[in-house]
Amino acid sequence: MNLLKAEVTSMVYLNEENGYAVARVTSSREPGQITVCGTLGKLIPGELLALKGEWKEHPKYGRQFIVSEFEQLFPASVNGIKRYLSSGMIRGVGPVMADKMVRSFGKKVLDILEEDPDKLLEIDGLGPKKLEKIKKSWKSQREIRNLMLFLQTHQIPTTFAGRIYKKYGSESVSRISENPYELIYDIRGVGFKTADRMALNMGVPPDSPQRLQAAAVFILFQLSEKGHVFYPSRELIPKISEALGDMDHMVIENAINALEERKKVVIEDLPEQDISRAVYLSLFYRMEVETAQRLCSLTTHPSGLSEKKIRTRIAEQENKDRITLTPEQKQAVLEACLNKAYVITGGPGTGKTTITRMIVRALSGLGLKVKLAAPTGRAAKRLSQATGAEAVTIHRLLKYNPSGGFDHNEENKLKADAAIIDEASMLDAQLTTQLLRALPVTCRLILVGDVNQLPAVGAGNVLTDILSSETLPKAILTSIFRQAKESSIIVNAHRINMGKFPVSSSMPAPLADFFWVQQENLDKIQELITYMVCERIPGVYGLDPMKDIQVLTPMHKGDVGTQELNRVLQDKLNPGPDAVVRGYRSFRVGDRVLQIRNNYEKEVFNGDLGWIQGFDSEESEMEVDFEGRKVKYDLDEIDELTLAYAISVHKSQGSEYPAVIMPVVTQHYMLLQRNLIYTGLTRARQLAIIIGSKKAMGIGIRNIGAGRRFTHLRYRLQRAFN
């Protein structure tokens, strides 16, 4: 075992999931810069490390020091201290202030920060307000260091230290010691294996009820993220056993029964699906039962509008708008206005937008207060443009508050006579329940969506279950309008939905709006995508590659996954040396980025697109422009963002883009499904290009049974209505 004392000069790589890092360091014992690798977490340039490990010769990268243990020390040299203070670690201290601090106090500055920080007021330009910010930041860094030492002792990646401290504060060590499994639910990125390794290192017995029950709850949560509201016991137990390292199945069944006694899960036989012992997390069970009951109550409550009044109002609106609805459209508008709950579904070009606009105007004209919403901001914006009425996200409609609930709920109902929800295929079990709680029983609910798209990212299959239950009145639109038939995008979307191969447009570019490009070679597909985004489409169609062209792909990994395509496209469209590096991601000013989880405090939601405006090293902040709205992120919050030159098809739901390019390759066979290809294609407004192999396209088009979700809402609705 070799010992090495070294000063960090730069971070080369950090995997935020497991803490593995590559860094450049200098040491008085070694000439030049040294590469060190290991589970080091986030390192700060200028800090001093005491390292234990072995020297290895890497065939590609040369001599490296592989770290097995390390301790973080304060920097010793003046230059090291300056780099350390300039790193953005301490709020309020940027390169200029760091230079002033070191010039004023030299090597003693860190001791002064620790023991007598008020002395820093002697520095020109540093007032009491800024000093308070510096003191608070320095205190949290000290506590994070103690936490990191605790994590290292229990062999947990130190990269989680910042997130743990943000959640638990000065109680971090005591909270973890009490129940390490709580980290799974409180700290994003900590899975069962990480928490379990810590628990076992802390002496939790392998067969302890705490461990077995934590594994069962974690697996159920993991399955809910794949869309399942419950999971059959016979299929659930082997998954839990695998997570625990092949634990006896009877012992696991006892743990699930104990969870039922504690009311953490509900176990129910579902004869309609021939399933015995369906295991629900209690939260999801209550949601499913409640959704069925509330939809039934809403639907069966008297309407209060006469058919005659509605027909008269529709006729008046047709005259006013100078349009003539088809019989199918007119019937859909009439029934949507007449019924307390109604569903409108159909593919692109079938007239959903015209019908929705007419419903809004007819109900408003009859004196009803109409609220419009959609699951995402971009979908809400499109709904507003299509109807001429204000539309918001469902979260904004219900007024989400950062404490975790909605201001509009069972006790404080929405003041609305009708609620129209667009992109209803994206509704998951949780959001549906919250929406129904907020609606007064006198309110109408109109769900509009395309049931053939991908289902919600969260648990549940709400729109499909409602339609298949045959309990709510509905309009299933199938006729494609003449104008829509001229669009190859729409024609091919319907072809794919019928299990047929797409065909390229018969028109030449720039009149053509769809191309199917057959290519087997992954390197060539990547080259073609890059050429089309950066040169061909901007040159021929006049579209802006930074704002108008979106690459959609089924997976994150692989040659044509989001990670690799983002790297390639960023280097082409927005090159430059200045960047903030987070794991495999490198962020630069001007980059297009995607919010990947809901942040209610910032009012930025999963799927929102933005552009990086700048970095403030002194405040450790980054500013992002979300289509005219400027939002600031602390640098430790930017894991909420990812580059968005290429995004997953799932993240594109509810959005539309002028041009879409989508690779369909056998490398992605695990995710290739008809509804995924259909969803990706229908995101395009002016131009769609699918590149890939005939074999991969065939796999996807034929695959309609994959991705089955375990839900029981369909049958609960039938029971409630009967």
Side-chain angles (χ1 to χ4, degrees):
M1 184 75 69
N2 293 291
L3 303 177
L4 187 71
K5 190 176 270 190
E7 184 181 302
V8 179
T9 56
S10 64
M11 285 287 290
V12 177
Y13 172 79
L14 171 64
N15 183 323
E16 293 180 348
E17 296 304 313
N18 58 23
Y20 180 81
V22 179
R24 300 258 193 268
V25 302
T26 56
S27 173
S28 58
R29 289 174 46 191
E30 296 286 334
Q33 288 205 340
I34 305 157
T35 300
V36 296
C37 311
T39 306
L40 301 160
K42 183 183 174 183
L43 300 174
I44 299 162
E47 74 179 320
L48 206 60
L49 303 176
L51 306 168
K52 288 182 184 178
E54 300 292 340
W55 290 100
K56 294 275 174 74
E57 193 69 32
H58 192 282
K60 184 176 178 182
Y61 300 112
R63 190 168 180 247
Q64 297 179 335
F65 192 80
I66 310 302
V67 180
S68 55
E69 292 177 45
F70 78 102
E71 185 183 348
Q72 290 173 298
L73 311 169
F74 284 124
S77 70
V78 168
N79 283 335
I81 291 168
K82 194 185 291 186
R83 276 198 298 273
Y84 181 71
L85 293 172
S86 301
S87 66
M89 175 201 71
I90 303 171
R91 298 289 297 273
V93 179
V96 174
M97 184 53 68
D99 185 58
K100 285 182 179 181
M101 289 167 76
V102 171
R103 274 196 282 112
S104 298
F105 300 107
K107 288 185 181 181
K108 292 181 180 177
V109 68
L110 296 180
D111 293 330
I112 288 166
L113 266 168
E114 186 68 26
E115 295 161 14
D116 188 13
D118 288 345
K119 203 169 182 184
L120 296 174
L121 288 170
E122 295 173 19
I123 297 170
D124 183 43
L126 200 160
K129 195 174 179 182
K130 180 167 272 194
L131 179 63
E132 277 309 305
K133 189 185 286 186
I134 291 170
K135 282 160 74 172
K136 188 178 177 183
S137 184
W138 179 257
K139 181 175 181 281
S140 72
Q141 286 301 322
R142 184 175 65 241
E143 290 177 342
I144 287 171
R145 279 175 173 272
N146 293 336
L147 173 60
M148 287 174 86
L149 190 62
F150 174 80
L151 294 175
Q152 280 183 333
T153 305
H154 296 293
Q155 297 171 21
I156 298 302
T158 55
T159 188
F160 295 120
R163 290 180 210 162
I164 293 170
Y165 183 79
K166 196 170 184 180
K167 179 71 179 176
Y168 298 145
S170 56
E171 296 179 353
S172 295
V173 172
S174 62
R175 287 285 294 272
I176 295 168
S177 302
E178 191 179 322
N179 185 2
Y181 293 107
E182 286 299 312
L183 291 171
I184 297 168
Y185 312 108
D186 291 342
I187 311 300
R188 193 195 61 79
V190 176
F192 178 78
K193 284 184 180 177
T194 302
D196 192 44
R197 187 165 66 248
M198 177 183 274
L200 294 172
N201 286 339
M202 289 167 64
V204 173
D207 61 348
S208 77
Q210 183 191 40
R211 180 174 186 247
L212 298 173
Q213 290 174 31
V217 171
F218 172 71
I219 295 296
L220 282 168
F221 265 117
Q222 215 175 34
L223 290 164
S224 77
E225 288 174 354
K226 293 179 180 176
H228 302 291
V229 177
F230 71 84
Y231 217 70
S233 175
R234 66 177 178 271
E235 296 175 44
L236 175 65
I237 288 172
K239 288 181 181 291
I240 299 168
S241 174
E242 188 183 347
L244 291 166
D246 293 326
M247 184 69 67
D248 180 77
H249 285 201
M250 187 58 73
V251 174
I252 294 169
E253 189 155 355
N254 291 338
I256 293 171
N257 291 335
L259 283 169
E260 186 184 28
E261 285 176 25
R262 292 176 57 204
K263 302 196 184 317
K264 295 287 185 183
V265 303
V266 173
I267 302 171
E268 187 176 60
D269 292 337
L270 306 175
E272 297 97 331
Q273 299 191 64
D274 196 26
I275 293 172
S276 60
R277 288 180 64 81
V279 184
Y280 285 84
L281 287 167
S282 296
L283 173 74
F284 289 117
Y285 177 79
R286 288 195 300 270
M287 284 176 185
E288 195 172 75
V289 170
E290 188 180 337
T291 295
Q293 289 170 346
R294 287 188 182 277
L295 273 173
C296 182
S297 298
L298 197 72
T299 306
T300 53
H301 192 272
S303 167
L305 278 182
S306 73
E307 185 174 333
K308 185 180 177 183
K309 276 187 179 178
I310 296 168
R311 285 187 185 277
T312 303
R313 182 71 197 111
I314 293 169
E316 289 170 355
Q317 196 64 48
E318 280 184 291
N319 289 331
K320 188 177 178 182
D321 292 349
R322 295 180 182 176
I323 64 165
T324 304
L325 298 175
T326 65
E328 183 185 50
Q329 287 179 319
K330 195 173 287 188
Q331 189 64 24
V333 175
L334 172 67
E335 290 185 7
C337 293
L338 193 58
N339 287 285
K340 286 297 304 311
Y342 196 70
V343 182
I344 300 165
T345 186
T350 56
K352 292 195 303 293
T353 301
T354 301
I355 290 168
T356 305
R357 184 168 58 243
M358 185 59 76
I359 293 166
V360 172
R361 292 176 182 177
L363 289 174
S364 299
L366 288 163
L368 274 66
K369 189 171 186 179
V370 183
K371 298 283 187 181
L372 285 80
T376 68
R378 291 173 77 86
K381 190 175 180 180
R382 284 208 334 274
L383 178 60
S384 185
Q385 289 166 347
T387 59
E390 184 192 10
V392 295
T393 62
I394 298 171
H395 285 90
R396 198 160 288 161
L397 177 73
L398 303 182
K399 292 187 179 173
Y400 186 89
N401 58 62
S403 62
F406 290 91
D407 289 347
H408 287 299
N409 50 38
E410 181 66 49
E411 283 75 41
N412 180 29
K413 301 284 190 181
L414 264 175
K415 290 178 174 61
D417 301 308
I420 299 175
I421 308 298
D422 198 13
E423 296 288 353
S425 61
M426 296 177 68
L427 284 173
D428 62 18
Q430 195 158 5
L431 196 53
T432 304
T433 308
Q434 301 290 358
L435 174 66
L436 290 170
R437 281 176 186 167
L439 295 183
V441 77
T442 54
C443 187
R444 281 166 170 67
L445 175 63
I446 299 154
L447 301 175
V448 184
D450 185 347
V451 77
N452 294 306
Q453 286 185 24
L454 285 168
V457 174
N461 206 0
V462 176
L463 187 64
T464 299
D465 283 349
I466 288 172
L467 287 166
S468 60
S469 73
E470 299 284 342
T471 53
L472 266 61
K474 60 184 180 291
I476 299 175
L477 310 172
T478 53
S479 303
I480 307 173
F481 285 85
R482 183 183 57 79
Q483 193 176 350
K485 285 180 180 173
E486 294 170 9
S487 163
S488 294
I489 294 171
I490 290 174
V491 168
N492 280 305
H494 287 275
R495 283 181 66 85
I496 286 167
N497 203 28
M498 291 186 285
K500 298 178 182 178
F501 261 70
V503 290
S504 288
S505 172
S506 58
M507 306 286 281
L511 299 174
D513 66 349
F514 177 83
F515 294 93
W516 156 242
V517 181
Q518 197 166 320
Q519 178 56 254
E520 306 275 343
N521 185 288
L522 290 172
D523 289 336
K524 286 184 178 173
I525 291 173
Q526 191 186 97
E527 285 173 22
L528 271 169
I529 290 171
T530 308
Y531 167 65
M532 286 175 181
V533 171
C534 303
E535 298 175 46
R536 177 71 177 165
I537 296 173
V540 176
Y541 287 84
L543 295 174
D544 182 346
M546 294 296 282
K547 294 195 171 177
D548 298 331
I549 306 168
Q550 185 62 65
V551 179
L552 302 178
T553 181
M555 293 185 77
H556 295 297
K557 294 182 179 175
D559 301 285
V560 289
T562 59
Q563 292 174 12
E564 186 61 17
L565 286 173
N566 271 318
R567 185 189 65 77
V568 172
L569 290 169
Q570 183 193 41
D571 286 346
K572 278 278 186 183
L573 292 170
N574 195 28
D578 298 329
V580 172
V581 179
R582 286 292 182 274
Y584 58 83
R585 294 165 298 179
S586 175
F587 295 102
R588 299 171 187 151
V589 173
D591 275 336
R592 181 166 67 190
V593 290
L594 181 84
Q595 179 79 12
I596 56 175
R597 72 183 62 88
N598 291 335
N599 186 321
Y600 302 104
E601 288 181 36
K602 296 185 192 298
E603 292 195 347
V604 185
F605 301 102
N606 192 348
D608 285 354
L609 276 178
W611 287 264
I612 297 175
Q613 298 298 291
F615 300 101
D616 184 332
S617 58
E618 188 161 307
E619 294 298 327
S620 301
E621 286 179 342
M622 178 171 84
E623 186 175 79
V624 181
D625 181 344
F626 287 96
E627 296 181 352
R629 194 168 156 269
K630 305 286 175 64
V631 178
K632 284 187 165 58
Y633 288 78
D634 288 347
L635 292 185
D636 62 359
E637 293 178 319
I638 62 175
D639 61 348
E640 293 186 10
L641 298 166
T642 187
L643 291 174
Y645 300 99
I647 66 174
S648 70
V649 178
H650 283 85
K651 289 291 183 190
S652 75
Q653 283 176 269
S655 296
E656 271 188 0
Y657 314 94
V660 163
I661 303 173
M662 181 167 59
V664 176
V665 298
T666 51
Q667 194 180 46
H668 297 160
Y669 77 95
M670 289 286 287
L671 282 175
L672 288 179
Q673 298 167 38
R674 185 185 293 179
N675 59 0
L676 181 133
I677 297 169
Y678 174 84
T679 300
L681 176 56
T682 53
R683 300 309 90 204
R685 199 160 57 237
Q686 294 169 232
L687 175 67
I689 301 167
I690 300 180
I691 308 174
S693 69
K694 206 169 180 180
K695 181 181 178 183
M697 180 62 87
I699 290 169
I701 288 173
R702 288 191 298 272
N703 189 2
I704 56 172
R708 181 203 168 180
R709 296 183 168 204
F710 285 112
T711 71
H712 203 62
L713 178 60
R714 170 186 176 179
Y715 303 100
R716 294 195 194 283
L717 281 166
Q718 289 171 346
R719 208 178 299 161
F721 277 84
N722 291 332

